[in-house]
Amino acid sequence: MSDASENKRYLALSGGVGGAKLALGLTHVLSPEQLQIVVNTGDDFEHLGLTICPDLDTLLYTLSGLANPKTGWGRASETNTFMKSLEALGGDTWFFLGDGDLALHVERSQRLRAGQTLSEVTAMLAKKLGVTVPIFPMTDDIVRTVVDTPDGPLPFQHYFVRDQCAPTALGFQFTGAEDASPHPEFSAALQASNLDAIFICPSNPFVSVDPILALPGIREFLGTQHAPLIAVSPIIGGSALKGPAAKMMAEMGLDVSAVSVAQHYGTLLDGFVLDQTDAALEADVRALGPEVLVTNTVMTSLDDRIKLARDVIEFSEMLQKA
Ligand code: GDP
Ligand code: CA
């Protein structure tokens, strides 16, 4: 990295578990003044009278060290008294809420009801959990991802958690996105002249990143921002490391490959990061337009996360010079 790297500014777009892995790496390499993280809220939903924000919470738990290392979501050392008691009462138990996690949802929900914005609540939670890097919900307005299936539209968490991604995904709608305002700091960062790169974390392109890109003006800002936009492929060797991204691609008639991810982001991309397993796809991706970095993108250890963060930053510095 260049000597001037401490003056550089970066923006990362993230979903949940995959995105948070790279985001954590970035926080080890960059100071809180250099990095902003914008998080998908299309997964958010109202459940048991609470507002639950799965991707924001995954970021908060990952960056504060509270995350459950086995799942990547939820908290480590959770207890389940609430779930057990709810079950005994015949309540809805398809969405697991650990006792500690529940406290966060209760506190957030009650602050939202009292009139605070989701950004304000997120900033408060981040502060309480000791997360110093700015994390913004993509919008303070309500956007909800809906999965189109042969049996009709399904709210995202019903598809993802209750039905375990079994229904065929024909497409997606981001209800409310058209009328939502992107978080003001998000719009401001995209229009700033001192931004050095934008990273699309290895999150699900269809349900974690597309809701962010669906907000009014975002694609235009990304198109005119001089800073390079770099996406890291969540598809490795023709499969997803976790979750339904590969299944969705097959159901939508796409080739299940990192090339389809690059194609999906299309002309927005200046750079694309392929896993070393997919080195043979480099020419195919390059033919679509972006520069390509081939490296290890499988983030098993903290060191892997930090190494990939350094790699994408270095790659962005190369693209700035090009
Ligand atoms: P979710 O919101 O919790 O479902 O998580 P994301 O959308 O942020 O991330 C899901 C995607 O992350 C999946 O498509 C995975 O293939 C991808 N993923 C998970 N771990 C890794 C990793 O270590 N490296 C890469 N390249 N992708 C990963
Ligand atoms: Ca998610």
Side-chain angles (χ1 to χ4, degrees):
M1 251 166 280
S2 74
D3 294 342
S5 55
E6 58 273 21
N7 303 319
K8 303 218 170 208
R9 299 271 178 283
Y10 300 90
L11 183 69
L13 312 186
S14 179
V17 173
K21 287 184 178 180
L22 180 58
L24 179 64
L26 289 167
T27 63
H28 280 259
V29 181
L30 301 169
S31 71
E33 292 72 37
Q34 294 182 281
L35 177 64
Q36 294 177 317
I37 303 171
V38 173
V39 182
N40 172 44
T41 59
D43 289 16
D44 296 9
F45 74 128
E46 283 67 38
H47 184 59
L48 305 173
L50 304 169
T51 300
I52 299 178
C53 306
D55 288 357
L56 279 170
D57 294 346
T58 293
L59 261 291
L60 288 171
Y61 290 151
T62 301
L63 299 182
S64 62
L66 288 176
N68 179 341
K70 285 200 198 89
T71 53
W73 55 267
R75 296 188 185 215
S77 337
E78 266 290 19
T79 50
N80 61 358
T81 304
F82 171 72
M83 284 319 268
K84 286 254 181 257
S85 312
L86 186 63
E87 191 174 15
L89 297 174
D92 234 346
T93 54
W94 58 267
F95 195 90
F96 182 82
L97 294 168
D99 297 331
D101 191 33
L102 177 66
L104 186 148
H105 304 312
V106 168
E107 185 59 21
R108 171 168 46 220
S109 303
Q110 94 105 12
R111 284 172 184 259
L112 289 173
R113 272 195 297 273
Q116 291 190 17
T117 64
L118 183 59
S119 310
E120 288 167 340
V121 179
T122 304
M124 178 283 297
L125 293 171
K127 194 164 176 210
K128 292 282 181 199
L129 297 182
V131 175
T132 50
V133 61
I135 300 174
F136 309 127
M138 65 187 196
T139 176
D140 279 328
D141 299 321
I142 292 181
V143 176
R144 296 291 180 261
T145 297
V146 173
V147 185
D148 288 321
T149 78
D151 296 324
L154 258 186
F156 182 73
Q157 295 302 338
H158 288 77
Y159 162 83
F160 192 66
V161 178
R162 192 194 64 190
D163 299 347
Q164 303 279 299
C165 310
T168 302
L170 303 172
F172 307 95
Q173 301 169 46
F174 309 118
T175 311
E178 264 174 42
D179 302 316
S181 304
H183 190 289
E185 302 256 10
F186 179 23
S187 302
L190 289 181
Q191 293 171 87
S193 56
N194 65 346
L195 189 64
D196 289 282
I198 303 159
F199 301 126
I200 298 185
C201 291
S203 288
N204 186 309
F206 311 105
V207 293
S208 288
V209 180
D210 278 1
I212 305 178
L213 302 180
L215 295 172
I218 295 306
R219 280 183 175 273
E220 290 74 9
F221 291 148
L222 289 171
T224 50
Q225 169 60 248
H226 72 282
L229 183 139
I230 294 169
V232 179
S233 180
I235 298 291
I236 299 176
S239 43
L241 293 185
K242 176 198 158 278
K247 180 174 180 277
M248 287 171 173
M249 288 173 117
E251 289 168 352
M252 290 190 295
L254 300 170
D255 239 14
V256 185
S257 122
V259 179
S260 298
V261 178
Q263 222 150 19
H264 181 77
Y265 293 131
T267 53
L268 288 179
L269 290 179
D270 298 293
F272 192 72
V273 183
L274 273 177
D275 190 74
Q276 55 203 9
T277 309
D278 288 323
L281 301 178
E282 182 174 351
D284 290 350
V285 175
R286 220 180 272 273
L288 297 170
E291 289 297 320
V292 176
L293 171 71
V294 179
T295 187
N296 174 44
T297 73
V298 181
M299 294 173 279
T300 308
S301 65
L302 176 61
D303 280 351
D304 296 333
R305 289 158 173 76
I306 296 171
K307 164 75 166 47
L308 184 57
R310 287 191 193 283
D311 287 348
V312 296
I313 291 168
E314 254 175 56
F315 185 38
S316 75
E317 289 177 348
M318 250 174 54
L319 295 182
Q320 284 157 14
K321 281 183 213 127

